[in-house]
Structures are given as structure tokens and as C-alpha cells.
Amino acid sequence: MWQRDVQTFLSSEEDDIVWMKKEVDLIVRWLVEEEQQRTMISMMGMGGAGKTVLVTKAYKNKLVKKHFDCSACASVSQTLRIDEVLRSIIKQFLEATKEVVPNDLATSDVGDLRQLVKRHLKSKKCLIVLDDIWSMNYWNELSVIFPDYRCGSRLVVTTRDRDVAFAAGEGSRVCQLQPLHPKEALDLFCKKAFQNKPCPSELEPLALSIVKKCQGLPLAIIAMGSLLSLRDANMLEWN
């Protein structure tokens, strides 16, 4: 259910969502800076904070797409397989530059895949998003694959781990997502639950209780609001 709600939210044309716009604008600004050094941008926060949603919004931004020669987004998660991550990145790079995917890509080893990635990084301004890096072990495995050739490339990471977020050291950018304030959380919930209509007064106490249990996490709020939008708006159903 959560993934479906996130995809529905991503397809929305509403770019003025209160909990999202400021952070998206910040990431976009960092991405299109003219600094030639390869910069790492980290989006840090607990599960459900909306890291993937925010980064995806920035990744799809028209200004960002125009700024880079090629871009790729790969999910890492807890089941890291470097070869799968690299194949995904290479395919997206080749698609962006309208190059033919090699017939032996599916059987290429990690060494060959690294060389293909580096070939792009040496000559192009690339954007790489690594979504959901869980630990420093995973980061150490991946970080050496993306050297800095000073072509203006950007490496974006989402993580729950503070050490990963600050791993790049000086020159990196870190955006730490905080839980929503109560009013922002309630506004987001009502937007989903009542499809932009006001919350009925008799349901306000229950709405506040539900939002409180979501602990300010946008994806939990979106999921609950979307679920309740399918139910009758009365005390019996909501209880």
C-alpha cells in the first residue's frame, strides 16, 4: 500500500505541497551549481520521512534534466549487489546518450561494469542517485566506483545512517529531513483524506489522533489519508 501511495503522490502535479517544496528547491539548487568538482548530496532521515519522494521530485525537475548529459537512479536497499546497481546505471546512461546497450552487459563482471561507468564520468556531466544506502559497508563498496573527473557530476544519496550522509566530508551537501510540524501534518492528511475539502468538524478529534500516531512522517500520513479517503466520512467508519 505504501509504495502505491508514494507513486500516486509522485504523479501529482501539485508542486506546492508544504512539506516538500522547500527541500526540493534546495536539492535542485545544489544540483545545478556550476562547481566542477563532483559533489555528493545526501538526503538523511528516518524511514517514512520522504527521502525517496523528495529526491525523485528533484531528479525529474526539468532544469536538472537539462543540466546533465546523462542521469541514472538506482535503488540499493539492504540487498546490495554491486553488479546489479552498475548495470542499472549503465543502461540509463546509454539510454540518455542514445547509445547501444552491449550484448554482453548482462554477463559482464564488476570490473568491466566499473570501466563502463567511469567512461561516462570521464567525459560527461553525470547525475547518479543511489537510493537507500543502509550502512557504511555499503557506501565503502560503492563510493570507489565513482571517481571525480571534475566534469560537474553529482552523486545523490538517500540514507538513514548519519555516517553515510557525512561520509564525503568537506564540500558535500547534507539535507536532514525532520518530522512535519503538527499543522503541516494535519494539512497533508486532510488534503489526502478529504481530497482538498475541509475536515468535517465531528472528525477533527479523530483526524488529530491519527496524525499524531503517524509521528510526523509524511509517507505514513499519505498512506492513512489515502486509505481513509476510500471510506465514508463518519465516526463509525473512522473509529
Side-chain angles (χ1 to χ4, degrees):
M1 181 183 69
W2 282 49
Q3 287 186 350
R4 182 182 70 240
D5 291 325
V6 172
Q7 289 304 317
T8 299
F9 192 78
L10 282 173
S11 66
S12 170
E13 293 300 320
E14 300 174 274
D15 288 328
D16 59 344
I17 302 300
V18 63
W19 70 277
M20 165 179 290
K21 190 175 189 310
K22 181 176 69 174
E23 287 81 2
V24 171
D25 290 346
L26 176 64
I27 297 170
V28 169
R29 185 166 74 249
W30 283 345
L31 287 173
V32 300
E33 288 176 337
E34 292 302 325
E35 172 62 53
Q36 290 302 300
Q37 178 180 343
R38 190 216 67 191
T39 303
M40 175 177 162
I41 299 169
S42 300
M43 179 65 65
M44 180 176 67
M46 61 190 299
K51 301 181 296 296
T52 300
V53 176
L54 290 169
V55 168
T56 303
K57 280 281 189 180
Y59 181 81
K60 293 182 176 181
N61 181 277
K62 292 180 180 179
L63 182 62
V64 171
K65 287 292 186 183
K66 184 178 179 181
H67 185 76
F68 294 95
D69 300 316
C70 54
S71 58
C73 181
S75 179
V76 179
S77 193
Q78 296 186 75
T79 56
L80 173 71
R81 280 196 55 182
I82 292 180
D83 57 341
E84 292 179 356
V85 172
L86 295 181
R87 285 191 189 95
S88 175
I89 290 172
I90 292 165
K91 286 179 180 178
Q92 293 174 69
F93 277 177
L94 295 175
E95 180 180 334
T97 55
K98 297 180 171 58
E99 297 178 60
V100 177
V101 176
N103 293 328
D104 61 350
L105 185 64
T107 58
S108 298
D109 61 25
V110 172
D112 290 336
L113 295 171
R114 285 185 179 187
Q115 292 306 314
L116 286 172
V117 170
K118 289 179 179 180
R119 179 169 65 84
H120 278 79
L121 290 172
K122 281 182 179 179
S123 58
K124 297 177 178 65
K125 186 185 295 183
C126 302
L127 169 60
I128 301 170
V129 176
L130 299 175
D131 185 35
D132 203 14
I133 296 183
W134 276 67
S135 71
M136 280 299 295
N137 288 337
Y138 289 175
W139 168 247
N140 290 334
E141 289 277 350
L142 287 165
S143 61
V144 296
I145 298 173
F146 309 108
D148 182 10
Y149 292 108
R150 303 193 67 80
C151 293
S153 294
R154 299 288 181 266
L155 181 61
V156 181
V157 168
T158 71
T159 184
R160 308 179 191 196
D161 189 292
R162 181 178 179 83
D163 290 337
V164 172
F166 288 91
E170 186 178 354
S172 63
R173 306 279 193 271
V174 179
C175 179
Q176 183 172 359
L177 292 182
Q178 301 293 341
L180 297 182
H181 294 297
K183 185 181 184 306
E184 294 174 335
L186 184 62
D187 288 345
L188 179 59
F189 174 79
C190 291
K191 185 181 288 289
K192 287 297 178 181
F194 305 111
Q195 300 177 8
N196 294 317
K197 296 177 183 178
C199 175
S201 58
E202 67 272 16
L203 291 179
E204 285 183 3
L206 277 175
L208 288 168
S209 176
I210 291 168
V211 169
K212 184 178 180 180
K213 290 180 179 180
C214 292
Q215 299 180 332
L217 297 176
L219 299 195
I221 295 167
I222 291 168
M224 290 303 301
S226 298
L227 177 64
L228 288 169
S229 72
L230 304 175
R231 303 292 188 94
D232 293 334
N234 59 60
M235 292 288 288
L236 179 63
E237 282 290 317
W238 276 44
N239 272 316

